[in-house]
Every structure is written in structure tokens, then in C-alpha cells.
Amino acid sequence: EHFNTVLYTGNATDATAISGVGFSPDWTWIKVRNNANNHRLFDTVRGAGKDLISNSTSTESTTTTRLQSFDSDGFTVGTNAEVNSNGHNIVAWNWKAGGTAVSNTDGSITSQVSANTEAGFSIVSYVGNASSGATIGHGLNSLPQLIIHKNRIDVDQWSVYTEATGTGQKLALDTTGAETSTSNYPTTPTSSVFYVGAGQEVNGSGDNMI
């Protein structure tokens, strides 16, 4: 009901509908399985035409040739080789959040949140203020165990908090490195907010964060 993996074969044809997800996804992660291509990540909060690369520190890109729309039973892709290369085997991991984002004022920074409280999954967008100890509402009504951060407009690492490693530590999604010390996560999250430091990776001043 909340997560599904779909396998498909690319055809390099524009406006190719990929179905079988079982719901309208809010976060779709696509990877060509038999070729060296980037991981492409899309979500409904940022919009279908915007994507990030989980194996890279690069900024968000906007195009009409990758994921073109989120549909009732899946999504539609364009001709780009990283989502629809002809004859290649492709996987798409799909998560259901809460549909259209709503404003959340639980934290010191107002966020836009698409939350699925039943599944314990939410997508959170906000603008950083470079203030250490800033709080952001996540909409889950329960304590998050995993938080993945990306600065959308700056070249920065993907910063990952896990309950297991705790505050003061981070993993970087875009590298194979071990966990490192960080000021990104100064305090344990609560059932309504998570805390961030002043660093650019999680709270860059005026930067769009996801």
C-alpha cells in the first residue's frame, strides 16, 4: 500500500507510461540496472520535472526528458537514457507520502510537508536559515529513525541521520565512506520536529532544502 518496486525495459520513446505501482507515488527513485548510469530521484513536493542524483553532490536539475508526471498507477518518463534507455533493464522504487504538500509550522522554520503517517514516511521541503538548532516540522506524529538531506541549489554532500548512529554523526549518501562526526544533527528528533545545525548541507542560508 505504501511502497512498491517496478521493473521495466526502456524504449527511448517520449511520454512512456510506467504502470503497476498500485498507487500514485510521491517519491520515485530510478536506476538503469545493466549500465553505468546515475541514480535519479524525483518527488511530488519539488515537482515531477526536477531531479537529484543520489550518487553525486550536484545540484537539482530541471528537464522534461526524464520523469514527466506522477500518475495514478505509476509515472511517465521521457527519452532520457537514465530513465528510459532503449533495451536496458530499469528499476524504479516508489514511495507513497501524503500527496500535495501542506504548510507545517511546528518548527522554527516553516516547512512544506507531504506526510504518510500510517507508513511513517514524509517528504519535507524548507528554506534554510543557517541557524544552529533550528527545528523543522516533519508531519509524522512519530519520531523519525532516518533522515536524508540534500541542499537543492548548492554542491554539497547528501547528509544522512540515522537513529542507530545518533546525533553528532552522519553518513554521506553519495560516497562509500564510513560515518563521520558532524554538527548537522545537534539534537535527537521528536515526534513533531527534527533539529539541524547551521551547516550548508542541512541549513544553508536562503537555500532550498529537501
Side-chain angles (χ1 to χ4, degrees):
E1 295 179 10
H2 310 288
F3 171 81
N4 199 8
T5 305
V6 172
L7 305 179
Y8 63 98
T9 302
N11 61 17
T13 301
D14 193 38
T16 295
I18 307 301
S19 60
V21 173
F23 53 81
S24 181
D26 291 301
W27 185 25
T28 295
W29 180 327
I30 300 176
K31 177 69 176 74
V32 175
R33 299 161 57 199
N34 57 340
N35 200 44
N37 290 98
N38 290 314
H39 294 252
R40 292 284 178 175
L41 281 60
F42 310 85
D43 65 75
T44 57
V45 175
R46 292 180 300 128
K50 299 180 184 298
D51 67 272
L52 289 162
I53 305 173
S54 65
N55 54 289
S56 169
T57 60
S58 61
T59 60
E60 179 181 86
S61 61
T62 303
T63 179
T64 60
T65 63
R66 295 190 185 105
L67 193 142
Q68 297 175 325
S69 66
F70 291 96
D71 308 327
S72 61
D73 187 33
F75 53 90
T76 296
V77 292
T79 58
N80 185 272
E82 292 189 320
V83 298
N84 196 17
S85 51
N86 189 42
H88 283 169
N89 299 325
I90 304 171
V91 59
W93 298 285
N94 301 274
W95 287 261
K96 182 176 178 59
T100 302
V102 298
S103 181
N104 183 300
T105 57
D106 289 342
S108 60
I109 296 175
T110 297
S111 56
Q112 300 298 313
V113 178
S114 175
N116 181 341
T117 56
E118 185 179 357
F121 170 70
S122 69
I123 303 168
V124 180
S125 173
Y126 62 97
V127 178
N129 64 7
S131 173
S132 182
T135 56
I136 298 99
H138 52 67
L140 291 176
N141 301 323
S142 60
L143 194 150
Q145 296 171 302
L146 172 70
I147 303 173
I148 302 173
H149 269 100
K150 183 67 179 79
N151 187 317
R152 298 165 57 186
I153 65 173
D154 287 333
V155 176
D156 284 307
Q157 282 193 322
W158 289 76
S159 184
V160 181
Y161 163 89
T162 71
E163 184 181 63
T165 53
T167 59
Q169 298 291 317
K170 75 165 188 177
L171 290 164
L173 190 65
D174 51 280
T175 78
T176 59
E179 66 182 68
T180 58
S181 298
T182 184
S183 59
N184 287 352
Y185 306 110
T187 306
T188 302
T190 73
S191 60
S192 59
V193 301
F194 58 85
Y195 294 77
V196 292
Q200 188 170 280
E201 291 178 359
V202 297
N203 196 17
S205 179
D207 292 350
N208 295 325
M209 312 296 304
I210 194 74

